[in-house]
Amino acid sequence: MPELPDITVYVERLAAKVGGSMLQRVRVLNPFLLRTAVPSISQAEGRRVVGVERLGKRVVLALDGGLFLVIHLMIAGRLRWFAAGAKPPGRIALATFEFDGGTLVLTEAGSKRRASLHLLANRDALTAMDPGGIDVLSADLAGFQQRLSAENHTLKRALTDPRLFSGIGNAYSDEILHRARLSPVALSHSLSAEQVRALFDAVRAVMTEWTERLRAAAGDWPDKVTAFRPEMAVHGRYGLPCPVCGAPVQRIVYADNETNYCARCQTGGKLLADRALSRLLKASWPRNIDDLE
């Protein structure tokens, strides 16, 4: 799922391409995409884009007259830019937004249709859609600590909770926790003041560095938006060496996601139980990273 760095670059490139331009036509190509009926999507046509914003992991086009188009890409949704008159891709295209200078196309890979489009009537409706997570790049340490300690969850769950922190998902939470040298299953109430500070610094550093990296790589448009990048330290790198200590990156698999971590850097060498695999191996399940070497 595109997270804060990816969404920020989308917003910046969209602002450069369509800011001040008239949205001539909206075509919804999949009936499951549009989640609002009032105002009618046709009411977005003929309006100028007066701003482009990020709302958590959503891209927002602010239109004159007070309307807001809200695009949530979910896991497999992507935004693509085509020259005016170019034919959009077939089966994966969910919607097109036509401007004088080109066409914005919302696509979604795979068979599951999770991406969504809302047209909202005013700023109050947009505010109501905000889960409430704080902007981690503008928050101070006190505000960050208050959110972190609001509930006693694992750090992985806390960082990815949109009610607590805005724009952090599965990929960058792994990178943040590795940078902070903290276990993904450590409880938020168990952290010392020094560990909270380390986590705060890691959040800001990882999100800033990756936003700058993706911004530089995007060129005219970010065509390669993915949660798996070879430059990442641990996310998506199960079995590969940790760039800090060289130990093989480990994982915890659950549902459709997995958490990647370095046992030596983050858990004192302890291997965290993978629910399925540890049950299968039972007594043979290794307890320490050194048992694997």
Side-chain angles (χ1 to χ4, degrees), residues 188-205:
S188 52
H189 284 186
S190 71
L191 299 190
S192 66
E194 291 77 14
Q195 289 174 319
V196 172
R197 180 72 203 214
L199 184 59
F200 174 70
D201 289 342
V203 167
R204 293 170 63 85

Side-chain angles (χ1 to χ4, degrees), residues 6-14 73 78-79 221-222 225:
D6 311 276
I7 298 299
T8 297
V9 176
Y10 270 143
V11 165
E12 291 173 351
R13 294 301 187 269
L14 267 174
L73 299 172
R78 297 295 183 267
L79 295 175
W221 188 261
V225 176

Side-chain angles (χ1 to χ4, degrees), residues 129-267:
M129 185 172 279
D130 187 350
I134 59 172
D135 183 344
V136 293
L137 295 181
S138 62
D140 59 15
L141 177 59
F144 178 84
Q145 184 170 13
Q146 187 277 328
R147 287 303 179 98
L148 186 66
S149 60
E151 299 177 20
N152 191 26
H153 292 312
T154 67
L155 295 184
K156 176 75 173 187
R157 180 179 173 186
L159 286 176
T160 57
D161 187 338
R163 301 170 303 159
L164 302 179
F165 303 106
S166 174
I168 304 176
N170 194 47
Y172 289 104
S173 60
D174 283 351
E175 296 300 290
I176 288 165
L177 290 168
H178 179 263
R179 180 74 62 94
R181 301 179 73 90
L182 291 170
S183 169
V185 300
L187 294 175
S188 52
H189 284 186
S190 71
L191 299 190
S192 66
E194 291 77 14
Q195 289 174 319
V196 172
R197 180 72 203 214
L199 184 59
F200 174 70
D201 289 342
V203 167
R204 293 170 63 85
V206 168
M207 289 308 204
T208 298
E209 289 171 15
W210 273 101
T211 299
E212 293 174 350
R213 188 180 301 207
L214 298 183
R215 183 182 287 136
D220 182 65
W221 188 261
D223 288 321
K224 297 180 180 179
V225 176
T226 175
F228 304 99
R229 297 181 181 275
E231 304 92 343
M232 287 182 164
V234 291
H235 182 72
R237 294 179 56 79
Y238 172 64
L240 297 175
C242 165
V244 174
C245 71
V249 170
Q250 301 302 307
R251 67 181 176 188
I252 310 169
V253 178
Y254 52 99
D256 293 332
N257 292 319
E258 67 177 57
T259 294
N260 297 123
Y261 69 98
C262 173
R264 185 159 289 149
C265 290
Q266 296 175 248
T267 64

Side-chain angles (χ1 to χ4, degrees), residues 28-94:
V28 177
L29 306 175
N30 187 295
F32 298 103
L33 176 71
L34 185 61
R35 307 298 172 85
T36 51
V38 179
S40 168
I41 194 65
S42 64
Q43 293 187 40
E45 298 177 340
R47 297 179 186 266
R48 293 195 180 276
V49 177
V50 297
V52 187
E53 308 171 16
R54 179 182 70 85
L55 182 68
K57 298 173 189 173
R58 297 172 172 87
V59 174
V60 181
L61 296 180
L63 307 176
D64 61 9
L67 298 184
F68 295 89
L69 275 170
V70 183
I71 301 170
H72 197 346
L73 299 172
M74 293 301 289
I75 295 175
R78 297 295 183 267
L79 295 175
R80 301 177 64 180
W81 183 259
F82 290 83
K87 184 178 180 181
R91 295 176 59 186
I92 64 172
L94 302 184

